[in-house]
Amino acid sequence: WSLPTNGAQGFTLLIAVAAGVSLPILPVQMLWVNMATAIVIGTALIFEPREPGLMDRAPRPVSAPLLDGGMLFRIIFVSVLSAGLVFGAWYWALEVEHLSIAAARTIAVNAIVVVGVAYLFNCRSLTKPLWRLGVFGNKWVWWGSLVMLVVQVAFTYLPFMQKLFHTEAIAPIWWLRLAGAGALVFAVVELKKVVLPSEP
């Protein structure tokens, strides 16, 4: 979960540098994302119940890399997909709707968080679709996601948070758009599990 989430931030900045535009996310905002997501939702997977048949699997060979080709592909694919959505949201807010740079950056930060929350549900299993695990099989993922949403609302709308992190209030419609971006990432990764299953 952590590597694609961080990868999305990195690729977003790379796209901006390559395009010669302003940074969609400020360093202090990246620090906020890394700190808040790691504490609030990153730990939720610790409480994931073990999958059936886990102890029947053969041990991993000693020579097997920690990240094989399939895992590297997933990390890069999810990172690039997420970064494209984050940069697209930032660009649309700034260039199409002509919002301020502070509002556009606030949208970009929230896009990273929302996509990260959606991908968290994908990571409950690397191979099994969510419906096979039980949607509510890990209540801590749901509680963490809810707390993260409340935290991001504070990040976006509370005056002292706006001053600390250079954010600006955004219109409610943007939350629906960001939810759509998160749903897209979730659906694509879940579809990959069905179409291209692989065993760990």
Side-chain angles (χ1 to χ4, degrees):
W1 172 81
S2 180
L3 291 177
T5 303
N6 292 327
Q9 297 178 57
F11 278 117
T12 298
L13 297 182
L14 285 175
I15 294 171
V17 170
V21 297
S22 302
L23 293 180
I25 313 162
L26 295 174
V28 69
Q29 294 170 339
M30 293 182 67
L31 179 64
W32 164 263
V33 170
N34 292 333
M35 179 183 68
T37 56
I39 294 173
V40 178
I41 59 176
T43 56
L45 291 175
I46 295 173
F47 303 99
E48 183 66 30
R50 65 178 183 270
E51 294 182 14
L54 178 65
M55 298 305 294
D56 296 329
R57 296 175 185 171
R60 289 169 57 91
V62 176
S63 59
L66 289 176
L67 297 177
D68 59 16
M71 185 60 68
L72 281 174
F73 172 80
R74 175 171 172 157
I75 290 169
I76 294 171
F77 176 75
V78 175
S79 296
V80 171
L81 174 61
S82 301
L85 292 169
V86 171
F87 185 84
W90 175 83
Y91 185 85
W92 185 272
L94 194 63
E95 299 295 336
V96 178
E97 297 199 0
H98 304 292
L99 301 183
S100 68
I101 186 67
R105 284 172 172 157
T106 304
I107 288 166
V109 172
N110 282 314
I112 289 174
V113 172
V114 170
V115 167
V117 168
Y119 184 61
L120 182 72
F121 286 86
N122 294 127
C123 289
R124 287 188 54 204
S125 172
L126 295 178
T127 57
K128 292 181 174 59
L130 183 63
W131 61 268
R132 288 186 58 188
L133 299 173
V135 176
F136 299 102
N138 184 348
K139 65 180 180 180
W140 296 106
V141 170
W142 288 95
W143 281 114
S145 300
L146 179 61
V147 171
M148 194 69 231
L149 176 60
V150 172
V151 168
Q152 282 307 116
V153 169
F155 171 84
T156 304
Y157 297 105
L158 291 184
F160 81 93
M161 296 289 274
Q162 292 175 340
K163 185 175 181 179
L164 280 174
F165 296 102
H166 309 285
T167 59
E168 190 173 298
I170 59 176
I173 186 63
W174 274 103
W175 292 104
L176 292 177
R177 293 169 178 170
L178 298 179
L184 176 62
V185 171
F186 172 81
V188 168
V189 177
E190 289 297 290
L191 182 62
K192 185 267 178 191
K193 292 179 187 178
V194 175
V195 176
L196 298 172
S198 59
E199 292 299 327

